[in-house]
Amino acid sequence: MNATATSPNRRLTAVVTGASSGIGRATAARLVADGWRVLAVARRQEKLDALAEEAGCEVLSVDVTDDDSVARLAERSRELFGGELNAVVHVAGGALGVDQVAEADLAKWQGMYDMNVLGALRVTRALLPAVRASGRGDMLFVTSVAAHEAYPGGSGYNAAKAGEHMLARALRLELNGEKVRVIEIAPGMVRTEEFSLTRLGDKDAADKVYDGVEQPLTAEDCADVISYALNAPHHVNLDLVTVRPLAQAAAHAVARGKGV
């Protein structure tokens, strides 16, 4: 199903955060291919410029942890889409380190909370009026299995993603009765070019995360699920979708060397 088929009079519109790499980049490209008009945002302008050339979306450099930057996002969205917006896809976020609670680095915890929770909150608060005005709105949060399952060394990321999960759940209740869906996609092990490298700070350590797993999820796998959720008939709400590779039974339970 594509956006043109869903809305014959006009193309559906979306803002995708965290679009410079990984799931955000793949999602922006996929929605454009589906027929949506997309404003893709992230901090790194050079990455966004490459995406714009490749996918044909609009781009804007935005830091979701900065109020003024998010205000500029809301202004640009109004300029492009006329005060109505069909979807916001919250992908911006990430994990920093694998400290256990007893040795927790408070600066890393603060960074994860700012990116994953307060960043999603700022963007939601700024863009929700336009989503409501569209008459066919979606707020989609890409969280993680870490929002639902604790694991050793994951406490900071667990806490941040659980906070984003609760933001989505509360928002769904607050919008009940309105024509706005609140969707959560919680990926498990996804191999992207930057997530584990950013978290661990070392390429060898990042590569070891996927040792013995033949087919971890890809960013495109996650974009497929996001596309399905957004393009489904609007009375169908995918409240929570957990998506993992076959090799992963839980956040901390991964079959390695089994050919999957």
Side-chain angles (χ1 to χ4, degrees):
M1 182 182 299
N2 60 44
T4 302
T6 304
S7 181
N9 296 321
R10 64 181 180 88
R11 295 167 66 190
L12 297 177
T13 57
V15 167
V16 180
T17 73
S20 60
S21 66
I23 295 172
R25 191 182 198 282
T27 298
R30 175 57 186 269
L31 291 179
V32 171
D34 287 344
W36 291 61
R37 294 182 65 202
V38 174
L39 173 57
V41 305
R43 289 176 298 174
R44 294 174 292 179
Q45 187 66 54
E46 70 282 2
K47 295 276 190 179
L48 291 172
D49 290 341
L51 173 61
E53 184 174 351
E54 178 184 317
C57 56
E58 299 285 342
V59 297
L60 181 69
S61 177
V62 171
D63 180 353
V64 300
T65 68
D66 180 84
D67 290 339
D68 291 339
S69 188
V70 173
R72 289 192 295 273
L73 166 60
E75 181 180 357
R76 183 58 178 150
S77 176
R78 284 191 295 271
E79 290 173 354
L80 287 172
F81 306 136
E84 294 185 8
L85 181 63
N86 294 111
V88 179
V89 184
H90 299 271
V91 186
L96 300 173
V98 289
D99 300 337
Q100 297 200 356
V101 172
E103 293 83 33
D105 182 324
L106 294 182
K108 289 180 180 177
W109 276 60
Q110 183 70 57
M112 286 186 280
Y113 194 82
D114 285 345
M115 288 188 294
N116 294 285
V117 183
L118 297 183
L121 174 59
R122 284 187 183 90
V123 173
T124 296
R125 192 172 58 182
L127 297 181
L128 184 57
V131 173
R132 281 173 147 161
S134 73
R136 186 205 184 280
D138 293 319
M139 302 295 292
L140 189 150
F141 297 82
V142 178
T143 61
S144 169
V145 296
H148 307 274
E149 303 167 357
Y151 54 92
S155 56
Y157 189 53
N158 291 144
K161 281 301 184 185
E164 188 179 2
H165 162 69
M166 283 300 177
L167 188 162
R169 287 192 64 178
L171 182 63
R172 186 180 298 116
L173 292 170
E174 291 164 1
L175 296 176
N176 185 229
E178 299 188 37
K179 292 184 178 180
V180 180
R181 299 183 297 192
V182 178
I183 300 163
E184 179 182 353
I185 309 296
M189 179 183 283
V190 184
R191 183 162 200 163
T192 63
E193 64 270 28
E194 294 186 359
F195 180 83
S196 291
L197 182 60
T198 298
R199 183 175 199 175
L200 301 174
D202 177 82
K203 187 177 186 306
D204 289 339
D207 288 343
K208 285 180 182 177
V209 171
Y210 312 100
D211 276 355
V213 179
E214 284 198 10
Q215 290 186 298
L217 295 178
T218 66
E220 289 72 22
D221 292 329
C222 296
D224 284 346
V225 177
I226 292 167
S227 171
Y228 179 86
L230 292 178
N231 286 307
H234 205 251
H235 70 283
V236 178
N237 195 113
L238 277 64
D239 282 22
L240 170 62
V241 178
T242 302
V243 53
R244 312 179 198 263
L246 180 60
Q248 186 179 38
H252 59 285
V254 179
R256 301 183 187 274
K258 303 291 187 180
V260 293

